[in-house]
Amino acid sequence: MRPLRPAAPPTQDAAEPTGVEPTAPVRPPQDGHWIVPAELDRRPLDGAIRALASVSWSDARRLIETGKVLVGNAVATSARRRVLRGERVEIRLHAPRPETVRRRKLEGELVVYADASVVVVNKPAGVSTIPYGDEDPAEQAATLDALVREVLARRDRLRGRAPLGVVQRLDKGTSGLLVFARTLAAKKHLAQQLRVRSMHRQYLALAHGAVPRGTHRSYLVEDRGDGLRGSARDRRREGQLAVTHVEPIETLRGPQDEPGAPGVTLVACRLETGRTHQIRIHLAESGHPLVGEAVYVRDYRGAKIPAPRLMLHAAELGFNHPADDRPMRFQAPPPPDFDEVLERLREARRKGAT
């Protein structure tokens, strides 16, 4: 009979990363702040939190994932972020989740005007106006109409979803003003203004090339013949009539550090009609696609100016109030990402003039 071997010492759980172990017994998470010591320099954040706060691995990761950990003055949500010697690390148990912070900030900047009939919204770029049916529940909850419903329900202390009628839409990549109706009567009134073309809508856009003043008038179809939405061929009267009035505001030039970068024009586009992608199509088909355009550039052979998104902003909105017919007019300046591209182009123009 073989002699029994002494039992091997227990091994560390393979799911737990190695690192500095806390010197104190594991305890429930508490508020606190620490300066990262030399022995924790360049350690993953979860290991640093475990060592500094004497919490379990699961608590350390949960604190990070839910936005309760700050490194310096910024919330850190990656457990694998490496901390540096001398950095300040803090746990705030009552800090809101990052998504909650983002949503509160968004909601604070969202509603421009609201009353019992209408709500005017300054839409951020990157947010869909309404869900299209193929999003997951989280994406549907983050659409513009869902966010506005939440804001109104909270403001008016309503139970459930606030009633909201979609009157107009903006592309996901477009920023700026649009109006929702809060009653069926208001929705019908605003829809009628759109039909008779009395609603004022003016956009700012950056477009490639030297864009001339003019009016674009065509009939838009779902497939112009090459798989893209666009104007009907041979000026046929099929599809939906679209009319866009374009006014150049400022002539710019491409950045000097980008060889072959074309000129750019800041334009104002006033809509007489409101068809899907109307401005994008009309300018692209005239040889001047928008800066940041990713769809209607198939026929464009020039160099493209880089941009973080489509450079299109709904800057002005005007309509008659559905309740008493008084004129309403709103303006919204372009957001920082639009201004940053515009300033970059202006700087290129200034350098070119010297």
Side-chain angles (χ1 to χ4, degrees), residues 36-57:
V36 176
E39 59 267 27
L40 290 177
D41 184 47
R42 306 197 65 78
R43 295 285 186 175
L45 182 57
D46 56 354
I49 290 296
R50 173 167 158 77
L52 293 170
S54 300
V55 296
S56 67
W57 285 111

Side-chain angles (χ1 to χ4, degrees), residues 132-194:
Y132 289 93
D134 56 352
E135 303 93 343
D136 61 37
E139 290 176 321
Q140 290 187 10
T143 57
L144 187 66
D145 69 325
L147 292 172
V148 173
R149 290 177 197 273
E150 288 184 20
V151 173
L152 297 177
R154 186 159 45 250
R155 284 188 175 189
D156 299 343
R157 298 182 179 179
L158 302 175
R159 292 185 177 180
R161 289 159 54 90
L164 199 67
V166 178
V167 178
Q168 56 173 148
R169 304 173 189 175
L170 295 178
D171 292 344
K172 184 175 183 178
T174 302
S175 59
L177 296 168
L178 75 162
V179 61
F180 290 100
R182 301 190 68 182
T183 67
L184 181 58
K187 183 175 181 178
K188 290 180 178 179
H189 195 288
L190 292 169
Q192 176 64 14
Q193 292 182 54
L194 283 171

